[in-house]
Amino acid sequence: TSLGLRLRAAGITKQTVLGQQSFYAPQVRSLHCKGQKLVVLGIETSCDETAAAVVTSDGQILSNVVASQWHLVQQYGGVYPHLAAREHQKNLPVVVEEALKSASIAPSDLTHVSVTLGPGLVPCLAEGRTFAQAFCKQHQRPLQATNHLEAHALTARLTELQGDAKQPLQFPFLVLLVSGGHCQLILCSDVGEYSVLGSSLDDALGEAYDKVARLLNLVGDPVQHGYEHGGSILERAASNGDCTRFELPVPLHGIQSCDFSFAGLKTAVSRLVSQLGTQLDETTTNDIAACFQHTAVTHIEEKTKRAILWCRDKHMDVNSLVVCGGVASNKYIRNRLDRLIRYHDYRLVCPPPSLCTDNGVMIAWAAIERLQAGHCAIEELGYERVPVRARWPLGPKIEPT
């Protein structure tokens, strides 16, 4: 449609949640949700996707609707918060109505509504919160706050539940969260119990991919591939390139931490492009893309390996690595990490691409996880305690030494 709605079929799997102690107020418990069948509407507006989905506590995805803003991204060359917020305001009623219609349920059938309150673009988050509050007041439904990062991190518990094992991924496990705005290594010990082992000191991985794609003047083909972020275009160019032609510096090589940095690598690519000048033909462009991707993923590998070895040194019973977030759809990254974790007797868990990008399913499932763990809904705390947050850490930072 004109809104770019993409209804994703029901039955993808379950999802999980994360929490920040100070915001979720875990000292207040909502015990009546334990053992109760939950039907949750999830609403996501943290950036430029307007998404809504209905998910049940037994892992059924009854609907999953997403409205894109690619026409604005293409027109203005990026995401502008106030323009994106205006689109959310326009799209939300349509997206939520379609999610309920596709799920064949009425608002009165919902047990809760879950909305992303951070981290993200404040004007966009505020539109989602305002809509969710009005919806909940109109239909007398309790509202649940959801951390966008937590929802990404725990999506794998949902997808594992739908897999052959028929049970959610067991805690503890490591998470590599890679997206356009985040790059973190997280130790997930339980619902609401997270330790950040490493994070980006500057650009996120997806952001670095997009910036390098622009440096190389890589342009997608909407007719053949649909609308794509620069990272997807760069990945395709890199698949046709020689990753050994140019030597680029591996960021933070030899530094004993799990933190990431991509700004210096991007600068190195920029210098290379300037030096080559008119020699930058299609073959050379593909080679630079391949060298950048190879070096960036080598950096990811090194820091992920350090996190794995740290968990082993601390005698933690961790044997799974979850890779999630929008960049987790990158096949090259998945293949490189798969070889790494096999060497260390780990298991790689990756949600399907449709659940790596922003979606309402993960927001609904996150609320289900938190409610089943006994954490209260916002209604029980009072709506006045519902701020949106541009930044919302999952948990304390730990330096793996």
Side-chain angles (χ1 to χ4, degrees), residues 163-177:
D164 295 336
K166 302 299 180 185
Q167 61 180 4
L169 179 67
Q170 297 301 301
F171 294 106
F173 54 86
L174 276 175
V175 167
L176 173 64
L177 174 56

Side-chain angles (χ1 to χ4, degrees), residues 240-263:
N240 298 315
D242 177 5
C243 68
T244 65
R245 181 175 172 184
F246 302 104
E247 184 176 354
L248 296 172
V250 178
L252 304 181
H253 181 65
I255 295 179
Q256 301 301 303
S257 79
C258 290
D259 288 327
F260 303 96
S261 174
F262 297 98

Side-chain angles (χ1 to χ4, degrees), residues 272-309:
L272 180 60
V273 170
S274 297
Q275 291 169 4
L276 291 170
T278 57
Q279 302 176 48
L280 198 64
D281 55 15
E282 182 178 355
T283 298
T284 303
T285 296
N286 291 343
D287 290 346
I288 294 175
C291 292
F292 163 78
Q293 179 167 251
H294 173 79
T295 305
V297 178
T298 297
H299 177 40
I300 292 289
E301 279 183 330
E302 289 182 354
K303 299 309 177 181
T304 302
K305 177 182 176 181
R306 178 162 180 76
I308 291 172
L309 295 177

Side-chain angles (χ1 to χ4, degrees), residues 36-114:
Q36 174 188 350
K37 181 176 180 180
L38 303 176
V39 181
V40 179
L41 169 67
I43 297 173
E44 157 63 26
T45 62
S46 64
C47 191
D48 62 336
E49 303 278 2
T50 311
V54 179
V55 182
T56 66
S57 53
D58 58 359
Q60 296 183 66
I61 297 177
L62 302 183
S63 66
N64 189 8
V65 182
V66 179
S68 69
Q69 296 185 18
W70 271 111
H71 61 293
L72 290 179
V73 175
Q74 292 294 306
Q75 181 179 353
Y76 295 102
V79 179
Y80 288 81
H82 290 286
L83 290 177
R86 186 176 63 188
E87 288 297 298
H88 287 311
Q89 185 181 47
K90 181 174 68 175
N91 291 348
L92 273 166
V94 180
V95 170
V96 170
E97 180 181 4
E98 181 65 27
L100 294 174
K101 180 181 177 182
S102 298
S104 299
I105 66 169
S108 58
D109 297 320
L110 299 169
T111 60
H112 294 79
V113 174
S114 174

